[in-house]
Amino acid sequence: EWRDGLIPSTITAIDSYSVYRLPSLNYLKWNVKDTTVVSGITYDVFRILGTEGNEFTFELGENVERFSIIGLSAGYLDIYATKLILNKDLKQLDDYPFARMPNVKEVDYNCENDVTVPSNINYTAFKYCGKNTTNGVTLNIGENVSVLPDNIFYYFESLKEVNFLGDKITKMGKNVFNTCTSLTNIVLPKNIESIGNYAFYHCTSLTSIEIPASVTNIGNTAFHNCTSLTKVVYKGQAPNINNMTYWNCTAVTLYDFRNCTSIPTLLDTY
């Protein structure tokens, strides 16, 4: 029984059902630099991998730059990976790359590039990933990651917790956690300076947020429609807040500016 596997970087063609019905699989590493140059890639190359209830890690190798092969073309949910590892050289994720992995419980994101992902809400990178996971997905952001690019975790509805393992991140792009409706816990990295537009839009399970002292810019509608948000704490000089930053955050009972040297004008949040 095949338990561990490596798809080598030298592969140039692959047939349908090449990696098929491997119930004992507990580790698979994809090492092809750019999947779009491999002939024969379709949604049915990978079918029925791992077993429901067993641990199974799917890793994108260190030299992978573009990944686009898992796809939702046939609606299959038969790749039973419980952990995803994305490594440093990744530059692009295409439509629905992890949509057929409903059991993912943990994602290690170690990408050091400004990764390009689909911006269309219907084709986001992590949509449907981990959708069957009872306790939600934990995201670990590696110590060498310095930027969270636009749209990277947009519509990752099963994401519940985010852990920053380093302090190099200074910028969070737009829509980074947009519509992560299960997200309840996040502690922002201590050196972050900018939070992009719609960064936490419609994070309807988020209950509190602490803005580090390093933050100098919070984008328009950054926390728009966070309907469970009850507490916002600023740890340093509070940047300007426009009238849409906390729009429809109707549950907020405390905006804490006690650590600020001045208090910004907080406009109507409705």
Side-chain angles (χ1 to χ4, degrees):
E1 295 182 339
W2 193 22
R3 297 181 181 274
D4 300 292
L6 169 68
I7 309 298
S9 59
T10 53
I11 195 170
T12 58
I14 195 167
D15 294 328
S16 297
Y17 301 98
S18 292
V19 188
Y20 174 68
R21 202 176 289 278
L22 299 172
S24 298
L25 194 66
N26 55 34
Y27 176 79
L28 181 63
K29 186 173 185 178
W30 176 266
N31 226 25
V32 180
K33 183 176 181 179
D34 182 350
T35 57
T36 63
V37 302
V38 179
S39 65
I41 287 290
T42 66
Y43 63 84
D44 59 1
V45 168
F46 292 121
R47 292 294 316 280
I48 314 176
L49 303 184
T51 303
E52 187 91 40
N54 291 343
E55 299 297 311
F56 166 24
T57 297
F58 186 94
E59 180 175 3
L60 299 185
E62 289 79 2
N63 67 325
V64 175
E65 295 185 359
R66 183 175 182 179
F67 183 71
S68 56
I69 64 172
I70 296 304
L72 196 66
S73 301
Y76 298 124
L77 297 173
D78 56 0
I79 300 174
Y80 298 113
T82 54
K83 183 173 182 176
L84 279 175
I85 301 175
L86 282 63
N87 284 314
K88 66 183 184 67
D89 288 337
L90 188 66
K91 295 179 180 179
Q92 182 170 342
L93 290 170
D94 292 334
D95 301 352
Y96 289 141
F98 310 115
R100 287 170 55 203
M101 299 183 181
N103 292 356
V104 169
K105 298 183 292 184
E106 185 176 9
V107 177
D108 287 355
Y109 181 87
N110 302 306
C111 309
E112 298 179 18
N113 297 301
D114 197 349
V115 180
T116 300
V117 297
S119 58
N120 187 318
I121 193 172
N122 295 314
Y123 301 102
T124 52
F126 287 90
K127 192 171 184 179
Y128 303 123
C129 180
K131 67 186 294 288
N132 293 345
T133 304
T134 304
N135 297 316
V137 179
T138 296
L139 171 64
N140 303 309
I141 298 178
E143 61 182 358
N144 291 318
V145 176
S146 61
V147 61
L148 292 180
D150 294 350
N151 309 307
I152 185 66
F153 302 114
Y154 190 7
Y155 230 101
F156 194 175
E157 294 178 288
S158 300
L159 179 62
K160 185 174 184 178
E161 181 179 356
V162 180
N163 300 313
F164 292 94
L165 306 182
D167 54 14
K168 293 183 178 181
I169 293 176
T170 59
K171 177 186 177 183
M172 180 182 292
K174 67 181 181 181
N175 293 316
V176 168
F177 295 108
N178 188 328
T179 316
C180 292
T181 52
S182 298
L183 181 62
T184 59
N185 183 33
I186 185 168
V187 177
L188 296 177
K190 66 179 183 179
N191 292 322
I192 191 168
E193 297 174 359
S194 177
I195 300 173
N197 294 348
Y198 295 95
F200 292 94
Y201 175 84
H202 201 59
C203 289
T204 53
S205 297
L206 189 66
T207 57
S208 65
I209 192 73
E210 186 173 286
I211 309 297
S214 55
V215 173
T216 58
N217 179 68
I218 299 179
N220 184 30
T221 63
F223 297 96
H224 182 144
N225 210 42
C226 292
T227 52
S228 296
L229 191 65
T230 60
K231 183 170 67 172
V232 181
V233 179
Y234 285 81
K235 301 300 290 183
Q237 179 62 43
N240 292 332
I241 302 172
N242 71 34
N243 64 336
M244 297 295 287
T245 303
Y246 297 102
W247 191 86
N248 204 36
C249 295
T250 54
V252 174
T253 58
L254 175 64
Y255 292 98
D256 188 345
F257 300 105
R258 288 176 293 179
N259 294 298
C260 301
T261 55
S262 63
I263 298 176
T265 300
L266 185 63
L267 302 177
D268 190 354
T269 56
Y270 295 93

